[in-house]
Every structure is written in structure tokens, then in C-alpha cells.
Amino acid sequence: MKLTTRGHYSVKALLDLSLQTGYDPVSVRAIANRQDIPAPYLEKLLIEMRRAGLVKSIRGSVGGYQLAREPAQISIGQILEAVGETVTHLPHNAATPAQAEDWVTFTLWQRLNQKLKEALYSITLADLYYDARSWQASLGEEASFVV
């Protein structure tokens, strides 16, 4: 599976939100600047994730976006699904029983795709958060983080 720009930016944006103290609202511009994402594109992605219930938008001068749930309750699979990413990649035509080799290959891809989907839905923002913090600590860096 290849993570598209759309999926990559979405995960980066939500990881950025999870890294904010107290999960306070963060402006699109602040996330875009930290993560080097075009702000108009990020806004569209955040709207899609809001519709999916992953983030909340707060209006006003101190408004912005914040996580709608704890990072441990948001999986990478949910983020990708929210922005229309395909989690599995299966061939569209099934093999006939006479094509045993093709059937074996098709079955193998079905199993691999199921395992990939399970993995994406088991990895949470909290997991990525702790991975990011561990990586930063190993480099002796401060709390600012660019995914």
C-alpha cells in the first residue's frame, strides 16, 4: 500500500494536534506552517475529518481545530478512511477455479490486505505520538515536531 499525499497530510495534521498541550484548538495556518502543508488543502482535509468525527472545529479568535477524541481512540485506518483513502488494494477480477495459480495469488493478496487493514486500524495516534516523542528524545530535541 502506498500512502498518498492526501493520507500522509491527514495523519501529519492529526498527529500535530495530538502533540499540542491540552489538545487546545489550533489554527489551520499554524498546523500548515509546522508541517509544511498548503493551508487551503489542509482545510479541506480537516473538514472531511470533522465530518467523520475525528476533529472538532472551534470558531472565534482563539478557535481552530482540535481532536474530537483521545489520540488512543483514533486509528490510522479511521483517518485514512475519513479522507477517502483506500485501505486495501485487491485485484478487481477473481480467478476461476481452473486458474489455480491465479487463485492462489488472489487468495494471498486477500489475506495480505486483511492483515494490512487490521494493522492500520490497530495503530493509533497515541502510538505515533509515543514513537515521535521517543525519536525526539533520542535526538535530544525539544517538543516541536514535524512529521
Side-chain angles (χ1 to χ4, degrees), residues 36-58:
D36 195 27
I37 301 172
Y41 189 62
L42 178 58
E43 180 75 38
K44 291 176 185 175
L45 294 174
L46 287 166
I47 289 169
E48 291 179 37
M49 290 187 280
R50 182 179 50 82
R51 288 182 186 138
L54 300 177
V55 297
K56 296 187 284 190
S57 60
I58 310 298

Side-chain angles (χ1 to χ4, degrees), residues 13-14 17 30 42 58 68-69 77 80 84-85 87 94 97 110-111 131:
L14 291 197
L17 289 175
L42 178 58
I58 310 298
R69 300 181 281 214
L80 297 176
E85 287 292 287
V87 177
Q110 276 185 314
R111 288 174 177 253
D131 289 347

Side-chain angles (χ1 to χ4, degrees), residues 6 16 21 33 37 43 45 50 60 66 68 75 87 89 94 98 104-106 109 113 118 122-123 130 135 144:
R6 182 177 190 78
D16 187 279
T21 308
N33 287 339
I37 301 172
E43 180 75 38
L45 294 174
R50 182 179 50 82
Q66 64 186 156
S75 73
V87 177
H89 296 282
V104 170
T105 302
F106 180 76
W109 280 112
N113 280 306
E118 289 170 12
S122 70
I123 300 169
Y130 291 118
W135 181 67
S144 63

Side-chain angles (χ1 to χ4, degrees), residues 54-124:
L54 300 177
V55 297
K56 296 187 284 190
S57 60
I58 310 298
R59 293 181 182 247
S61 60
V62 292
Y65 285 90
Q66 64 186 156
L67 296 177
R69 300 181 281 214
E70 292 293 319
Q73 297 174 335
I74 300 174
S75 73
I76 303 308
Q78 290 169 325
I79 297 168
L80 297 176
E81 185 180 306
V83 296
E85 287 292 287
T86 303
V87 177
T88 59
H89 296 282
L90 284 175
H92 293 294
N93 20 339
T96 64
Q99 299 168 309
E101 184 178 314
D102 290 340
W103 178 251
V104 170
T105 302
F106 180 76
T107 303
L108 174 63
W109 280 112
Q110 276 185 314
R111 288 174 177 253
L112 287 172
N113 280 306
Q114 182 59 37
K115 294 297 182 187
L116 174 62
K117 189 173 183 177
E118 289 170 12
L120 288 172
Y121 281 88
S122 70
I123 300 169
T124 68

